[in-house]
């Protein structure tokens, strides 16, 4: 157990039909400024799970910025991710535990605040993603509940009276957005705040400035709220950073926080187990054909190096072997595949030096652990490749010239052209390697109906090599099934 301070339990109730319903609204509003820390016991598993779920949403928000998604598209993608990982229902929902949802949302935020307060760069990225998430939720919230949230807080704005509105009627009229022939409406509400609180509106000339005050129309009221959220969170992150050294000796939490702080680099993988689903098995003979049509750049590079050199060094075998295992290659087929690939070795040398490691990765030797395939984050951050190694992420570890040459050589037959490279290389230069991989996926699967911005489905970015390959195979199968129906 990790004791955040006082112990409080949240127990959902049930209606007469047995359906789970929310408790007594300990968290009164769906929107949250997160200015009250969680004060209850949580397990280490819950501590990490809630943070990972929230990080998946924030990582996709950052990917959306890297891909220059328009606001409407970003909002759609973010809401889909929220519904999947961090759902927050309105108070009217009676078949879900609303308090439990809001509790997990709050816990995830505060855990990530611990993880991302460590440096100026991490604070900046976290602040931008969290503010965007708040904006998305604010725009999608029920109007009545949103007004209730606003009424529960003091935003230090002053509503402008009729006398003051009449004094500045001409200037305020210039701010109005009117349809042709429509007259100035004096009933429009305005709020006074210090102009330093709405710099974005000042820059866009959407407010009236007088004596250091900004007169904000009610339609722009949300700008005050977003700025307040961002300013509060920025201060909280700085305070958290000062208090964080007290946790350095906690060996339970520090490794988790270190791992979470890397989440923006390649997203957070989910749904990829250490064993293939039933019926998805492949044979050794199928690997080469699948590689040429469905593999991401990292696995394609490993496969082509193996076929060319008839050998891979240790970390290359580990990365590729676990990927093939999760893809559906059974232990028997794996031994056949690697034996054929290492054709320059005698049977005795292969059995002594390589067969044991293959069986070990399947959990059949040693401590018999069922090892999962490496995610994009693990490939990017661990076991950095040397000059003669083939493992790693090409988008990060290849020289720009070599990466462009390899992309064209590998994917030109799938629709990738030299005109696509500047966009891909721009994201690589900015350090958004999984975004570059996602864009390659979209380009090479455009003929199968994948549009720009769609990613591997629902706007989601690539976060795992097996995710890339599985989705690619699914698209091909769907296309084949459609063709059979027509036929």
């Amino acid at each position: 157990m990790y004791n955040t301070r006082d112990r409080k339990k949240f127990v959902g109730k049930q209606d007469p039909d047995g359906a789970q319903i929310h408790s007594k609204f300990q968290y009164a509003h769906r929107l949250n400024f997160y200015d009250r820390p969680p004060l209850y016991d949580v397990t280490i598993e819950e501590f990490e799970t809630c943070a990972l779920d929230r990080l998946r949403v924030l990582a996709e928000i950052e990917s959306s910025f890297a891909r220059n998604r328009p606001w409407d598209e970003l909002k759609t993608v973010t809401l889909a991710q929220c519904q999947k990982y961090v759902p927050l229902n309105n108070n009217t929902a009676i078949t879900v535990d609303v308090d439990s949802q809001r509790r997990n949302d709050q816990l995830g935020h505060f855990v990530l605040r611990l993880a991302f307060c460590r440096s100026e760069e991490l604070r900046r990225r976290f602040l931008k993603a969290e503010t965007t998430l708040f904006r998305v939720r604010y725009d999608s919230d029920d109007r009545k509940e949103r007004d209730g949230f606003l009424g529960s807080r003091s935003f230090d704005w002053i509503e402008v009276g009729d006398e003051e509105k009449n004094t500045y009627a001409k200037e305020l009229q210039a701010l109005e957005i009117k349809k042709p022939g429509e007259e100035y409406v004096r009933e429009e509400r305005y709020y006074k705040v210090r102009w330093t609180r709405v710099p974005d509106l000042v820059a866009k000339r959407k407010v009236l400035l007088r004596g250091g005050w900004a007169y904000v129309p009610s339609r722009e009221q949300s700008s005050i709220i977003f700025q307040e959220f961002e300013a509060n969170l920025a201060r909280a992150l700085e305070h958290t950073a000062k208090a964080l050294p007290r946790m350095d000796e906690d060996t339970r939490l520090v490794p988790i926080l270190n791992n979470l702080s890397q989440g923006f680099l390649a997203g957070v993988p989910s749904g990829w187990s250490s064993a293939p689903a039933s019926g998805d098995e492949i044979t050794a003979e199928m690997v080469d054909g699948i590689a040429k049509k469905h593999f991401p750049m990292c696995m394609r590079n490993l496969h082509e190096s193996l076929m060319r050199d008839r050998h891979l060094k240790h970390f290359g075998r580990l990365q590729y072997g676990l990927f093939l295992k999760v893809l559906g290659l059974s232990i028997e087929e794996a031994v056949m595949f690697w034996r054929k690939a290492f054709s320059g070795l005698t049977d005795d040398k292969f059995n002594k030096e390589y067969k044991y490691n293959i069986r070990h990765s399947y959990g059949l030797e040693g401590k018999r652990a069922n090892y999962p395939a490496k995610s994009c984050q693990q490939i990017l951050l661990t076991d950095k490749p040397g000059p003669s190694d083939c493992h790693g992420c090409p988008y990060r570890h290849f020289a720009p010239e070599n990466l462009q040459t390899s992309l064209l050589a590998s994917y030109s037959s799938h629709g990738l052209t030299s005109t696509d490279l500047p966009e891909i290389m721009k994201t690589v230069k900015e350090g958004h390697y999984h975004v570059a991989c996602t864009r390659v996926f979209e380009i090479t699967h455009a003929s199968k109906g994948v549009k720009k911005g769609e990613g591997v489905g629902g706007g989601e970015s690539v976060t795992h090599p097996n995710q890339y390959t599985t989705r690619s195979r699914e698209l091909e199968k769907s296309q084949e099934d459609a063709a059979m129906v027509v036929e």
Side-chain angles (χ1 to χ4, degrees):
M1 282 283 193
Y2 176 67
N3 189 353
T4 56
R5 194 176 293 171
D6 302 313
R7 181 173 182 82
K8 294 182 181 179
K9 290 186 178 180
F10 297 81
V11 181
K13 300 180 179 180
Q14 290 189 333
D15 65 13
D17 297 325
Q20 188 80 2
I21 65 173
H22 55 72
S23 56
K24 297 179 180 179
F25 292 134
Q26 186 147 2
Y27 301 89
H29 305 288
R30 181 172 176 263
L31 297 174
N32 195 340
F33 263 43
Y34 306 104
D35 42 13
R36 295 182 181 179
L39 303 174
Y40 41 77
D41 286 356
V42 296
T43 63
I44 295 296
E45 181 182 3
E46 187 180 12
F47 182 90
E48 184 175 18
T49 300
C50 290
L52 282 171
D53 285 341
R54 189 179 191 86
L55 184 55
R56 291 186 176 103
V57 178
L58 299 185
E60 199 57 56
I61 288 174
E62 177 154 289
S63 295
S64 295
F65 284 124
R67 304 180 71 180
N68 295 317
R69 280 184 169 133
W71 172 251
D72 288 342
E73 187 177 331
L74 183 151
K75 182 178 175 181
T76 300
V77 170
T78 302
L79 287 174
Q81 291 292 100
C82 284
Q83 187 60 35
K84 189 175 181 181
Y85 298 114
V86 194
L88 279 183
N89 289 90
N90 292 327
N91 293 343
T92 53
I94 61 172
T95 59
V96 293
D97 189 344
V98 173
D99 264 341
S100 178
Q101 288 182 342
R102 296 173 185 179
R103 172 183 183 272
N104 292 341
D105 174 73
Q106 185 195 41
L107 177 61
H109 169 88
F110 275 94
V111 175
L112 292 185
R113 188 185 289 187
L114 288 172
F116 285 94
C117 71
R118 302 172 173 214
S119 69
E120 181 64 32
E121 173 66 12
L122 288 175
R123 289 196 293 269
R124 181 189 63 79
R125 296 170 75 174
F126 179 71
L127 183 63
K128 184 177 181 181
E130 277 285 350
T131 303
T132 303
L133 176 59
F134 181 83
R135 287 188 62 193
V136 169
R137 287 175 169 173
Y138 183 90
D139 287 353
S140 61
D141 202 14
D142 177 81
R143 183 173 181 178
K144 182 178 179 181
E145 293 188 20
R146 183 170 61 196
D147 290 344
F149 167 74
L150 297 180
S152 70
R153 299 186 60 88
S154 173
F155 289 94
D156 293 328
W157 55 45
I158 303 172
E159 186 167 354
V160 179
D162 291 338
E163 183 178 348
E164 201 168 1
K165 278 199 292 186
N166 291 332
T167 302
Y168 299 119
K170 186 176 181 181
E171 291 86 346
L172 294 176
Q173 184 177 0
L175 299 175
E176 290 292 331
I177 301 176
K178 305 186 298 297
K179 296 179 181 179
E182 190 176 41
E183 295 184 357
Y184 168 57
V185 181
R186 293 183 183 274
E187 286 72 21
E188 173 72 33
R189 289 186 175 183
Y190 290 87
Y191 301 88
K192 283 198 308 185
V193 294
R194 287 298 178 183
W195 72 269
T196 52
R197 293 183 58 188
V198 284
D200 56 329
L201 297 181
V202 173
K204 297 175 184 178
R205 300 185 178 183
K206 291 187 174 182
V207 294
L208 171 66
L209 297 179
R210 283 292 183 274
W213 293 94
Y215 290 72
V216 183
S218 58
R219 65 178 179 275
E220 305 291 350
Q221 184 184 29
S222 60
S223 183
I224 305 174
I225 300 162
F226 301 151
Q227 193 275 342
E228 186 81 0
F229 176 90
E230 186 172 359
N232 285 354
L233 182 54
R235 288 192 297 269
L237 285 169
E238 292 177 0
H239 292 157
T240 306
K242 294 176 182 178
L244 192 64
R246 302 176 191 174
M247 298 184 59
D248 286 346
E249 296 180 2
D250 194 324
T251 56
R252 302 167 301 166
L253 304 184
V254 171
I256 295 175
L257 297 178
N258 288 338
N259 181 60
L260 290 170
S261 66
Q262 303 292 340
F264 280 152
L265 185 62
V268 184
S270 62
W272 303 104
S273 66
S274 56
S278 178
D280 290 341
E281 290 79 7
I282 62 174
T283 65
E285 295 297 324
M286 294 168 60
V287 173
D288 189 61
I290 295 174
K292 292 176 179 177
K293 293 196 295 183
H294 304 296
F295 279 11
M297 191 66 197
C298 56
M299 297 305 165
R300 184 147 183 164
N301 177 57
L302 284 167
H303 180 78
E304 291 174 354
S305 298
L306 177 61
M307 296 297 102
R308 180 186 66 244
D309 303 332
R310 293 298 168 184
H311 188 266
L312 281 178
K313 297 178 75 173
H314 171 72
F315 288 118
R317 296 196 306 272
L318 183 64
Q319 182 176 323
Y320 192 37
L322 293 175
F323 165 80
L324 291 176
K325 181 184 80 168
V326 174
L327 191 62
L329 195 67
S330 67
I331 179 59
E332 296 81 8
E333 292 292 332
V335 172
M336 290 175 57
F337 171 79
W338 288 104
R339 180 66 193 96
K340 184 178 180 180
F342 287 6
S343 57
L345 303 179
T346 63
D347 287 342
D348 185 57
K349 185 176 178 64
F350 176 81
N351 290 334
K352 286 183 178 179
E353 298 183 15
Y354 299 100
K355 189 174 181 178
Y356 176 87
N357 289 333
I358 297 170
R359 290 176 55 81
H360 186 275
S361 67
Y362 277 76
L364 301 176
E365 302 288 355
K367 64 179 182 180
R368 301 183 183 277
N370 191 15
Y371 297 97
K374 290 183 177 293
S375 66
C376 292
Q377 187 182 105
Q378 291 172 311
I379 292 171
L380 284 164
L381 298 176
T382 61
D383 306 323
K384 183 179 179 180
S388 60
D389 287 322
C390 300
H391 66 281
C393 173
Y395 297 99
R396 182 174 193 178
H397 299 123
F398 277 20
E401 297 77 10
N402 292 342
L403 175 59
Q404 295 182 73
T405 301
S406 298
L407 285 171
L408 290 175
S410 299
Y411 298 113
S412 58
S413 60
H414 298 277
L416 185 74
T417 66
S418 57
T419 58
D420 298 314
L421 294 179
E423 179 185 4
I424 296 169
M425 297 308 296
K426 180 178 180 293
T427 56
V428 170
K429 185 178 180 181
E430 294 171 349
H432 300 291
Y433 308 110
H434 64 306
V435 175
C437 186
T438 304
R439 185 64 190 123
V440 170
F441 180 91
E442 292 171 346
I443 294 169
T444 56
H445 292 80
S447 60
K448 296 179 175 62
V450 177
K451 299 177 182 178
K452 183 176 181 179
E454 188 174 334
V456 289
E460 193 168 342
S461 301
V462 175
T463 57
H464 201 295
N466 287 89
Q467 173 197 30
Y468 184 112
T469 305
T470 300
R471 181 57 179 156
S472 178
R473 295 180 71 196
E474 288 174 352
L475 289 169
E476 182 183 61
K477 188 176 185 303
S478 297
Q479 195 174 52
E480 290 173 351
D481 291 345
M484 289 179 64
V485 170
V486 173
E487 188 176 324

